[in-house]
Amino acid sequence: QVQLVESGGGLVQAGGSLRLSCAASGRTFSNYDMGWFRQAPGMGRDFVARIRRSGGSTYYADSVKGRFTISRDNAKNTVYLQMNSLKPEDTAVYYCTAGVEDKNYYWGQGTQVTVSS
């Protein structure tokens, strides 16, 4: 089992920045690809970003490319999502995931991000 706890969400004005963190515990963090998903009110859960186990490869949804950056610190068992130039449409609950390639085996409880216009 892997336990994931997100933090760093909150209320921010459009154009602002937030940094989300996801702390992992349980099995070896460096064995997993890590990702971020988000779910807006009344919508499905959408992919945001993913980072491979080594941190060498990252992937982003088109909607966040150039604004969001995913990173990880395997020594701290933590994955981050730096979000810049935030837009009201980025408002959602953000979830951290741990898995292998596109398979997400574990999910966190989510953290709310609200961007006001």
Side-chain angles (χ1 to χ4, degrees):
Q1 286 283 346
V2 174
Q3 293 77 43
L4 302 171
V5 179
E6 302 97 333
S7 61
L11 174 64
V12 64
Q13 288 189 330
S17 298
L18 281 175
R19 188 195 198 201
L20 305 183
S21 299
C22 172
S25 61
R27 295 190 174 183
T28 305
F29 178 74
S30 58
N31 285 348
Y32 293 94
D33 301 325
M34 301 298 295
W36 289 94
F37 283 69
R38 67 186 182 186
Q39 187 168 19
M43 304 293 285
R45 201 167 286 190
D46 295 326
F47 168 75
V48 175
R50 189 185 309 278
I51 186 166
R52 293 299 185 208
R53 279 164 275 185
S54 66
S57 297
T58 56
Y59 308 88
Y60 297 92
D62 287 343
S63 58
V64 306
K65 277 181 185 175
R67 300 188 299 122
F68 290 10
T69 302
I70 188 170
S71 62
R72 67 190 294 162
D73 186 337
N74 285 347
K76 294 183 178 180
N77 290 354
T78 302
V79 62
Y80 305 97
L81 186 68
Q82 178 66 44
M83 305 186 295
N84 299 329
S85 303
L86 282 161
K87 305 174 181 180
E89 50 264 43
D90 294 318
T91 295
V93 177
Y94 283 71
Y95 297 91
C96 173
T97 70
V100 177
E101 296 184 351
D102 294 340
K103 297 180 177 59
N104 301 296
Y105 296 137
Y106 304 102
W107 293 77
Q109 84 290 349
T111 186
Q112 176 70 48
V113 171
T114 303
V115 184
S116 63
S117 56

